[in-house]
Amino acid sequence: MADVKKIATRESYGNALKELAEEFPDLVVLDADLAAATKTGIFKKAYPDRHIDCGIAESNMMGVAAGLSLTGKIPFVSSFAMFAAGRAFEQVRNSIGYPHLNVKIGATHAGISVGEDGASHQCNEDIALMRTIPGMVVMCPSDDVEAKAAVRAALEYQGPVYIRFGRAACTVINDRPDYKFEIGKGTVVREGKDVTIVATGIGVDAALGAAEMLKADGVDAEVINICTIKPLDEDLIVASAKKTGKVVTVEEHSVIGGLGSAVCDCLCAKQPTPVKKLGMQDVFGESGSAAALIHKYGLDAEGVYNSVKEFLA
Amino acid sequence: MDNLELKKQANNVRKGIVTSTHAAKAGHPGGSLSAADVFTYLYFEEMNIDPKNPAKEDRDRFVLSKGHTAPGLYAALAYRGFFPVEDLTTLRKLGSYLQGHPNMHIPGVDMASGSLGQGISAAAGMALGGKLSKAKFRVYTLLGDGELEEGQVWEAAMFAGFRKLDNLCVIVDNNGLQIDGPIDEVCSPYPIDKKFEAFNFHVINVDAHDFDALRGAFREARETKGMPTCIVLHSLKGKGVSFMEGSVDWHGKAPNDEEYAVAMADLAKIDEELEKEGR
């Protein structure tokens, strides 16, 4: 397994912006003194005139993006998820969401895989916050391939989009010839009949690992990759829940308001099914390496495996 | 348009403010009236706009950062021909397009606003967009003086000054009053002019109710290159309605039937004086 390709989705984001710049001449990129970390620096180096550093002022940056979009530009606004979705929530809601402007938010350093910086910078609430804004598309790509596809899809889409990227390098899992990306469509990445694991972001890789471990125990798990949390691919989730009768959700986010909640909202109404939500259980994170934290909070393959076993027992 | 005609239009705008807030039984007449003259000057004289084509690409943009004074903006838009004047009485009512604060569904409105501090950032973004596209349009935004207490205003001012957005004109309606009282008793933003100067703005202090002064200030703003301009309007809250002038109470309260009659009589008197002035 030495040659497994790993790349952080923030890196994919920066690369995608640069690769798509010629095709989308109206694309401009905004950052708040974090271009080196969010990787919009990759774009900045190639297109310095189209990169606008707004300084450490995220609230103003969201408004500037709103204004730029009203002159025909397609702004991609970047910061850490904590500040893009957290600090500037009301600006996103009132200056971008309410007027339904064509602004894209690329939020990096989401979740606990931020690692050593600790809880102040580990945003486990952004999906919940962004989901509540009417008309906002919310995406969380699982790897390099999907991250780049999501950036392109966001540029092609007319309206506000929030994309969540991670800091830590993660395994490339979607590198296959028939891979197709569409906003609002989930993917069954592993078919099974005993339990459905619905995952997003780096949770997908963990779910696939857990599924392999479960197979050894004779449990046939279906794994669904949900990149677009809003609008949710409800048909896919309902069909799978109908088949397996048990659902586990995996996300590097609070279990309050994130993917797990979105899945429950859907299943409560359309296909009542027992659901176990894995994620941050209403706690703040802490400092540590990304891998150590993911392990501690039970979000690696082993943790997901253990939780599924417990759920099925 | 000459000053007399501007004064007549401004009085119409004031009637629109009083009539719409009376009909709505809610809204913000005080700060709408203090800004009635600048609304009139912008829409009837200063800005390149077309009521028949509100979205024309090369139009000048306006963002009402102090969005609660929507009745003033709506009245100016209506009298300028963006939508029927009769619709002003639907203000704030269920089903009306004239929402309590401006949104994107109102003809002539360039940006939704109402949460204080945010409009100036959007205006700065529009101005930057114009620069990037080498477009000629100008961007105007109107802020309240109490609004200057919002930190985002200064983030935006720093950005606009640093970016030398000389196509941006920030207007501050300095009527001196906010909901909880005089601004210098709540959390004083004074000195307003020196603050904007420190943020690399060209600053002009002007009497808000003198059209010659407004004409001069907006010309100076247009001619200022290499930095944005801030026009500080020294205004009277409630201007034109006797019992509302200089009164904190009329920040966010609508006139009842009796008060409405007095207010409209005050404004009718101004009309009479303007008629005499025209003879």
Side-chain angles (χ1 to χ4, degrees), chain A residues 29 43-53, chain B residues 163:
Chain A
V29 176
F43 177 91
K44 181 182 183 177
K45 204 172 158 202
Y47 301 94
D49 297 342
R50 289 162 65 181
H51 185 277
I52 299 140
D53 204 323
Chain B
R163 296 262 163 196

Side-chain angles (χ1 to χ4, degrees), chain B residues 15 22 38 43 58 71 92 104 140 143 154 168 179 181 215 253 259:
Chain B
K15 282 184 265 184
H22 168 253
V38 77
Y43 279 94
D58 69 340
R92 287 178 170 247
M104 304 304 274
Y140 300 85
L143 282 73
W154 303 105
L168 174 69
I179 297 177
R215 205 181 290 277
K253 184 172 86 167
E259 290 156 342

